[in-house]
Amino acid sequence: MAERNDRPAVTVIGMGNMGSAVARTYLERGYRTTVWNRTADKAEAMADAGALVASTAAKAVAASPVTILSLLDNAAVEDVLGSVGDAASGRTLVSLTSGSPAQARANASWAVEHHAAYVDGKVMGDPPDVGTAKASLAFSGDRDVFTTVEPVLNELGTLTYHGPDAGHAAVEFNAQVAMGFEFLIGFLHTLSLVEREGMDPETFTERLAGSLDGYAGLIQMMAAAIKSGTYGPDLGSLDVQAALMDDLIGHREAAGVETVRMREVKSLMDRRIAQGHGDQGFSSMYELLRF
C-alpha cells in the first residue's frame, strides 16, 4: 500500500525511552512520523510500528515541518544541530531535551541564524505517561511559533506556555525537579533520625503524609509575602524559631545525623534577626537570598 502523504507529518530525533514514546504517540494518532537516531538500530526498530526511518538527521528534519528533539542532553542537541545545518531552514524545531536556560536560549539563537523557528520544552512525567493528561510539558519561546505547533504538541500531554523567553521552560523544569530533590533528601535524613531513635520510618511517614497538605497553602502565602515585601510571622517569629533550631541541630548531632541544612537555616535566621527583623517569619529570610 502506498504511503499516505496527506496525514500531518512530524519528525522525532532521538529514540531513547522518551523519544520512542513520543514517536509511538504520533504514530498511534495517525501522523506520518519520521525518526532518526544516532544508533541506527533503535530507529529501525520503530519501522515495525510504521515510522519512516531517515538516514541522516538533516534528512529527518527536512522530512517534516516540525521536528521534536528528544536527546540525552544538550550536547547531543548541539551535535544534531551542527549536522543539520541549513536543512533546518523553514522548519520548526522543538526540543524536549533537558538542559539549562542558557542552552535553550543558545538553541533559539542558532535557529534564528539558520532561518528556523524554535520552541524549548521540558517533560515532567515518565515515558508511559506521554500522550495522556498525566504528562505535563512546559514550553517557552516565540508565542507565534508556539501557537502554530501547539496542536501537534497537544498530542503529548498537558501543556503550559511560560512566555517568549526560550529559557523559561528550563527554569520551570529545573526548579520543579530541584524542589523535589530538596524535599526528598531532607525526608531521607529525617527518616534516618527517626530510625536511629528506635521509631518505625514507615509509620512515621504515614503520619507525615497526613500533614503535607497544609504546606500548599503555606508556600502560596510565603510567595505572596515575598512579592509584596510584607512579612508576617508565618511559622512564628524568627526569634522563636531560632531557639527551636538549636534543639533540632542538637538532636541531630546527638544522633549522628547530618546537620548541614539545619545549620544553613539557623545561620540565615540569625542574620535576619541581627538586622532587626526577629518579629518576621520564615519567608522573610528570602531577603538574604535575593541576587
Side-chain angles (χ1 to χ4, degrees):
M1 180 180 294
E3 175 67 30
R4 283 179 53 191
N5 292 319
D6 60 338
R7 295 183 296 164
V10 67
T11 287
V12 182
I13 290 181
M15 290 292 103
N17 291 338
M18 186 62 73
S20 295
V22 169
R24 289 185 186 279
T25 296
Y26 284 121
L27 287 166
E28 291 168 0
R29 306 287 167 85
Y31 282 70
R32 181 163 54 88
T33 306
T34 301
V35 300
W36 181 84
N37 191 75
R38 187 183 305 276
T39 306
D41 59 345
K42 289 186 176 181
E44 293 291 346
M46 295 300 298
D48 293 337
L52 305 172
V53 180
S55 58
T56 67
K59 290 180 179 180
V61 170
S64 309
V66 178
T67 291
I68 310 291
L69 301 166
S70 182
L71 299 163
L72 177 64
D73 54 29
N74 197 71
V77 172
E78 291 177 352
D79 287 345
V80 167
L81 294 181
S83 70
V84 167
D86 292 338
S89 180
R91 302 297 195 263
T92 297
L93 308 176
V94 179
S95 179
L96 296 183
T97 306
S98 62
S100 71
Q103 290 168 334
R105 293 171 185 133
N107 293 341
S109 295
W110 183 96
V112 170
E113 293 168 3
H114 290 79
H115 309 288
Y118 179 83
V119 174
D120 198 72
K122 301 290 179 276
V123 183
M124 288 175 278
D126 297 320
D129 296 332
V130 172
T132 75
K134 291 176 64 178
S136 176
L137 295 93
F139 291 98
S140 59
D142 185 281
R143 163 68 82 171
D144 291 338
V145 176
F146 174 75
T147 299
T148 299
V149 298
E150 189 173 5
V152 176
L153 300 176
N154 269 327
E155 304 285 6
L156 302 179
T158 302
L159 314 186
T160 304
Y161 174 69
H162 293 281
D165 185 327
H168 279 182
V171 173
E172 175 73 14
F173 177 81
N174 290 350
Q176 292 269 5
V177 173
M179 188 65 238
F181 284 142
E182 293 271 13
F183 167 74
L184 292 173
I185 191 61
F187 171 63
L188 294 181
H189 281 300
T190 299
L191 285 190
S192 175
L193 178 68
V194 168
E195 187 173 38
R196 291 186 192 203
E197 289 287 19
M199 295 179 67
D200 178 44
E202 188 172 18
T203 55
F204 167 78
T205 300
E206 290 175 2
R207 295 189 295 273
L208 175 65
S211 67
L212 291 181
D213 286 347
Y215 283 92
L218 174 63
I219 61 176
Q220 290 172 332
M221 179 179 69
M222 291 174 67
I226 289 166
K227 185 174 183 178
S228 69
T230 302
Y231 298 105
D234 40 47
L235 292 177
S237 70
L238 291 178
D239 288 330
V240 173
Q241 292 181 62
L244 173 62
M245 290 304 302
D246 286 332
D247 292 336
L248 296 179
I249 292 169
H251 182 198
R252 289 190 171 217
E253 285 182 332
V257 175
E258 179 270 336
T259 63
V260 171
R261 290 160 191 79
M262 291 294 180
R263 288 190 177 279
E264 178 191 11
V265 173
K266 179 61 162 57
S267 175
L268 291 171
M269 285 182 175
D270 289 344
R271 287 170 57 193
R272 192 66 178 157
I273 291 169
Q275 292 176 344
H277 303 293
D279 59 331
Q280 296 179 348
F282 197 92
S283 57
S284 73
M285 294 190 294
Y286 184 77
E287 294 298 324
L288 301 174
L289 306 178
R290 285 187 184 275
F291 56 88

